[in-house]
C-alpha cells in the first residue's frame, strides 16, 4: 500500500483485507446509478465487528471518510465513493448467526444478500417477507440503510417493520446494541429506527436481528389493461374490498414496450395506457370465487379493457416479469430515476399534474411510469434521446425535478419513497422535510458522527470530512 494512511491502517490491523487495484476501486466505488466516477482511497473488507470498529477509529484519526457498501444496487448514489473515501464492504460479513424459534428471530451479518436471508427463513419454515427484484445482489445492511420497500409493502410494510434489533458502529467506533429483539421496549428513544433509513450517515450496521413470519397461503396473480387512472383506482378499491392483496403494482404502455423488447411475453393484443398487476391469496374456494367476482366486476363496470388471471405458478412468474424486469430492461439507457410517494388518494390528481409538466418539459424524452401504486409509490424513469449528451440530460432532468419537488410539496408527498436521498435527491430534500426537521437531522448526525466521517455528502451536505459544501 503506497498511501501512508493505508500503511498505518495495516499496522493497526495486519489481518485486515484491503484492496486498492484500479479494478477494485471501480467495482466497489459505484452503485447502479453509474453517474459518478468511482475514486475511493481503497476498499476494506473486514470480517468481524471489532475490525469495523478499529477501521472507524483509524478513519477518525486520519480524517478519512467512510462509505459503507453492501450489494451496491442502490439507485440514489448512497454507496458511491467518488472522493477518496475508504469503502467498507460488508461482503465478507455475510453469515447467518443464529435463529430463535420461540422469538422467530433470525440474526444475520449486514453483508448477507436478501435472497440468502429469505432462503434461511424458508429453512425454518417461515418467511422474511420484504422482497424486490434486486434480491439476489442487494444486502440486508443496504436494505436497512434505505428502509427498502419493494413489491409486498402493501401487506408487510417496509424493512423497518421487520427489524427486531441492530448492532451498529457509530462514527466514534462505539458499538451500540439496539433493542435486542424485544417486542415491547418503552425505555426512551428507539435508536434502532433512527438507523433504519439513515443511509449509512449515522452508523455502520454490522448485525441485524430480523423477525420472520408464517408463509402466506397460495396466491394468484391477475393483470388488467386499463384506459384511465381513475378506473385503475376503482379496480384498486374493488380488489382491496374483496381480496387479501399481497401486491398491487402498475406500469404504463411505455414500460410494457421496453420489457417486451427485453424478452417478456405481452399477454394482450391491444395496447392500453395503463396496466396493473395484483397478487392475492387463494387459500380456499371462497377466495377463488371472490377473485373471479372481482375480475368480472372490473369488466362489468367498464374499468378494464382486458385481463388475465394466472392458471399456474409458471404463468404467475411470467406475469410478474412484466413488472419486475422493467428496471433491467431500461438499465442500458441509464435512465434518470424518480422514486416519489404521495397519499394513495392523491395519485390521480398528482399524476395528472406531473404528466402535464412532463409533456411540456420533456416532449423529446421517453417517460416511463411504473411502481407500487398500492403504496402511493411511483417510479418515473426518464430516458434521453440520442441527440442529448449525458451532461445536458442531467441538467435538464434536475431542472424538471425541481418542478416535481414543488408539485410534491403541494401534495404533501416525498421525493424518495424507498430508494433513499443519497447524492441524487439531496438537492430536493427541503420540499419533503421542513428546514426545522433538517436541522434536527443534522443535530442527530453531529451526536452519532461528531467527526463527520460516515458517508459524508449523502442525504445532506455537512461539515464533515470529504464534504463539498
Ligand atoms: C422497482 O420497484 C425498484 O422495480 C426500481 O424500486 C425502480 O428502477 C426503478 O426506478
Ligand atoms: Zn420500487
Amino acid at each position: 500500500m503506497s498511501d501512508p494512511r493505508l500503511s498505518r491502517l495495516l499496522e493497526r490491523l495486519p489481518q485486515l483485507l484491503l484492496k486498492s487495484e484500479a479494478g477494485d476501486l471501480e467495482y466497489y466505488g459505484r452503485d447502479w446509478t453509474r453517474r459518478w466516477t468511482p475514486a475511493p482511497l481503497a476498499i476494506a473488507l473486514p470480517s468481524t465487528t471489532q475490525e469495523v470498529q478499529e477501521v472507524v477509529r483509524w478513519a477518525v484519526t486520519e480524517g478519512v471518510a467512510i462509505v459503507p457498501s453492501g450489494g451496491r444496487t442502490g439507485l440514489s448514489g448512497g454507496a458511491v465513493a467518488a472522493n477518496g473515501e475508504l469503502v467498507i464492504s460488508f461482503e465478507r460479513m455475510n453469515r447467518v448467526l443464529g435463529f430463535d424459534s420461540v422469538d422467530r428471530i433470525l440474526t444475520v451479518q449486514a453483508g448477507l444478500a436478501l435472497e440468502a436471508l429469505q432462503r434461511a427463513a424458508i429453512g425454518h419454515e417461515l418467511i422474511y417477507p420484504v422482497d424486490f427484484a434486486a434480491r439476489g445482489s442487494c444486502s440486508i445492511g443496504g436494505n436497512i440503510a434505505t428502509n427498502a420497500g419493494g413489491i409486498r409493502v402493501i401487506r408487510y410494510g417496509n424493512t423497518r417493520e421487520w427489524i427486531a434489533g441492530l448492532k451498529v458502529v457509530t462514527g466514534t467506533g462505539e458499538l451500540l446494541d439496539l433493542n435486542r429483539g424485544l417486542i415491547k421496549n418503552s425505555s426512551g428513544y428507539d435508536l434502532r429506527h433512527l438507523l433504519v433509513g439513515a443511509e449509512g450517515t449515522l452508523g455502520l450496521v454490522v448485525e441485524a436481528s430480523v423477525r420472520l413470519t408464517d408463509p402466506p397461503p397460495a396466491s394468484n396473480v391477475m393483470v388488467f389493461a386499463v384506459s384511465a387512472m381513475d378506473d385503475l383506482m376503482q379496480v384498486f378499491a374493488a380488489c382491496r374490498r374483496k381480496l387479501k392483496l399481497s401486491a398491487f403494482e402498475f406500469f404504463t404502455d411505455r414500460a410494457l414496450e421496453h420489457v417486451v423488447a427485453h424478452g417478456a411475453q405481452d399477454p394482450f393484443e391491444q395496447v392500453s395506457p395503463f396496466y396493473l398487476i395484483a397478487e392475492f391469496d387463494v387459500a380456499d374456494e371462497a377466495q377463488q370465487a371472490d377473485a373471479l367476482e372481482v375480475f368480472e366486476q372490473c369488466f362489468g363496470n367498464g374499468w378494464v379493457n382486458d385481463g388475465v388471471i394466472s392458471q399456474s405458478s409458471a404463468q404467475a412468474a411470467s406475469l410478474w416479469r412484466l413488472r419486475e424486469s422493467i428496471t433491467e430492461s431500461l438499465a442500458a439507457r441509464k435512465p434518470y430515476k424518480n422514486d416519489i410517494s404521495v397519499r394513495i388518494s392523491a395519485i390521480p390528481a398528482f399524476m395528472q399534474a406531473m404528466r402535464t409538466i412532463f409533456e411540456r418539459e420533456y416532449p423529446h424524452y421517453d417517460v416511463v411510469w411504473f411502481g407500487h401504486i398500492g403504496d402511493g409509490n411511483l417510479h418515473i424513469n426518464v430516458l434521453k434521446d440520442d441527440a442529448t449528451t449525458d451532461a445536458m440530460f442531467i441538467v435538464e432532468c434536475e431542472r424538471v425535478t425541481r418542478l416535481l419537488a414543488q408539485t410534491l410539496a403541494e401534495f404533501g408527498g416525498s421525493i424518495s419513497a424507498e430508494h433513499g436521498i443519497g447524492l441524487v435527491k439531496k438537492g430536493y430534500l427541503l420540499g419533503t422535510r421542513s428546514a426545522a426537521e433538517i436541522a434536527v437531522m443534522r443535530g442527530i448526525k453531529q451526536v452519532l458522527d461528531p467527526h463527520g466521517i460516515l458517508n459524508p455528502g449523502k442525504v445532506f451536505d455537512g461539515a464533515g470530512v470529504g464534504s463539498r459544501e
Side-chain angles (χ1 to χ4, degrees):
M1 297 284 154
S2 55
D3 190 297
R5 294 169 299 176
L6 296 177
S7 309
R8 289 193 289 271
L9 176 56
L10 285 177
E11 273 162 34
R12 275 173 179 246
L13 275 173
Q15 75 283 15
L16 179 70
L17 180 57
L18 265 188
K19 293 185 178 182
S20 58
E21 301 280 319
D24 298 321
L25 303 182
E26 162 88 24
Y27 178 70
Y28 289 95
R30 65 184 191 182
D31 66 2
W32 277 7
T33 50
R34 302 290 190 267
R35 199 197 298 176
W36 288 269
T37 307
L41 170 66
I43 324 301
L45 297 100
S47 59
T48 64
T49 295
Q50 292 73 16
E51 283 184 5
V52 175
Q53 290 178 272
E54 200 49 35
V55 173
V56 170
R57 291 187 197 114
W58 162 87
V60 171
T61 322
E62 301 283 355
V64 171
I66 284 172
V67 174
S69 188
R72 294 175 302 284
T73 56
L75 299 168
S76 296
V80 166
N83 255 331
E85 305 92 334
L86 181 83
V87 172
I88 299 191
S89 162
F90 287 92
E91 82 183 24
R92 295 171 73 219
M93 292 179 65
N94 63 351
R95 280 180 305 124
V96 174
L97 299 174
F99 172 67
D100 190 302
S101 59
V102 175
D103 294 321
R104 292 178 143 196
I105 287 177
L106 190 72
T107 300
V108 302
Q109 290 182 306
L112 187 70
L114 172 61
E115 195 170 49
L117 194 160
Q118 292 170 336
R119 265 202 310 272
I122 288 168
H124 298 290
E125 294 172 3
L126 293 167
I127 62 158
Y128 176 72
V130 178
D131 192 27
F132 42 90
R135 61 183 75 79
S137 324
C138 68
S139 71
I140 184 67
N143 296 177
I144 292 165
T146 54
N147 186 22
I151 53 180
R152 297 207 170 75
V153 170
I154 194 169
R155 178 173 297 179
Y156 296 109
N158 291 356
T159 299
R160 181 185 303 287
E161 323 301 327
W162 300 92
I163 302 303
L166 284 182
K167 282 194 186 163
V168 173
V169 175
T170 69
T172 58
E174 196 95 41
L175 181 66
L176 304 180
D177 188 359
L178 305 174
N179 198 59
R180 303 180 308 281
L182 298 175
I183 294 170
K184 302 184 91 171
N185 184 6
S186 282
S187 61
Y189 308 149
D190 196 335
L191 302 180
R192 158 189 56 157
H193 286 305
L194 261 185
L195 266 295
V196 178
E199 301 186 43
T201 62
L202 298 181
L204 307 176
V205 173
V206 287
E207 218 178 279
S209 293
V210 301
R211 274 182 219 299
L212 305 183
T213 190
D214 293 314
S219 63
N220 227 333
V221 167
M222 59 191 176
V223 175
F224 283 123
V226 183
S227 292
M229 211 50 211
D230 287 333
D231 292 334
L232 198 149
M233 298 310 282
Q234 297 279 14
V235 176
F236 180 50
C239 286
R240 267 224 293 207
R241 243 187 329 264
K242 201 85 192 172
L243 308 180
K244 203 155 182 300
L245 287 173
S246 49
F248 193 91
E249 304 268 318
F250 99 115
F251 47 95
T252 55
D253 50 347
R254 298 299 317 132
L256 184 68
E257 192 175 312
H258 287 286
V259 290
V260 168
H262 203 68
Q265 196 72 39
D266 185 352
F268 303 120
E269 276 167 16
Q270 305 273 322
V271 177
S272 287
F274 304 104
Y275 298 88
L276 62 89
I277 176 162
E279 187 185 76
F280 46 93
D281 290 356
V282 281
D284 50 33
E285 281 179 11
Q287 283 190 328
Q288 283 169 9
D290 285 346
L292 282 178
E293 196 185 313
V294 170
F295 195 76
E296 276 154 22
Q297 183 192 8
C298 291
F299 277 98
N301 288 330
W303 296 328
V304 304
N305 310 327
D306 209 344
V308 47
I309 299 197
S310 63
Q311 304 298 324
S312 64
S313 53
Q315 195 186 3
S318 138
L319 292 174
W320 261 121
R321 197 168 165 204
L322 296 170
R323 164 65 185 88
E324 281 212 283
S325 64
I326 298 173
T327 299
E328 201 187 307
S329 74
L330 304 176
R333 303 277 306 274
K334 289 204 282 180
Y336 182 88
K337 288 180 183 288
N338 297 290
D339 158 46
I340 63 89
S341 76
V342 289
R343 285 168 61 159
I344 303 171
S345 55
I347 286 175
F350 171 79
M351 268 188 85
Q352 192 44 52
M354 283 321 302
R355 283 170 82 102
T356 307
I357 292 175
F358 285 165
E359 271 156 29
R360 190 183 68 219
E361 305 293 333
Y362 281 151
H364 43 317
Y365 294 157
D366 187 4
V367 180
V368 183
W369 293 74
F370 58 103
H372 319 282
I373 201 154
D375 313 323
N377 175 189
L378 308 175
H379 297 308
I380 310 156
N381 278 215
V382 185
L383 306 176
K384 78 176 187 67
D385 56 359
D386 291 338
T388 310
T389 62
D390 283 357
M392 251 334 281
F393 179 59
I394 297 295
V395 169
E396 267 199 74
C397 289
E398 296 201 322
R399 180 178 59 77
V400 177
T401 303
R402 279 192 284 280
L403 303 176
L404 170 65
Q406 269 167 23
T407 312
L408 276 168
E410 284 156 25
F411 279 84
S414 172
I415 193 72
S416 176
E418 58 173 3
H419 296 169
I421 295 293
L423 293 171
V424 174
K425 293 285 149 50
K426 69 177 169 180
Y428 317 97
L429 188 60
L430 203 51
T432 296
R433 301 299 199 100
S434 68
E437 259 185 296
I438 296 173
V440 173
M441 283 160 65
R442 286 181 190 280
I444 292 168
K445 164 99 174 146
Q446 176 62 29
V447 172
L448 285 162
D449 180 26
H451 311 287
I453 59 162
L454 297 181
N455 224 3
K458 313 290 167 55
V459 184
F460 40 66
D461 285 315
V465 294
S467 70
R468 279 172 291 174
E469 208 169 49

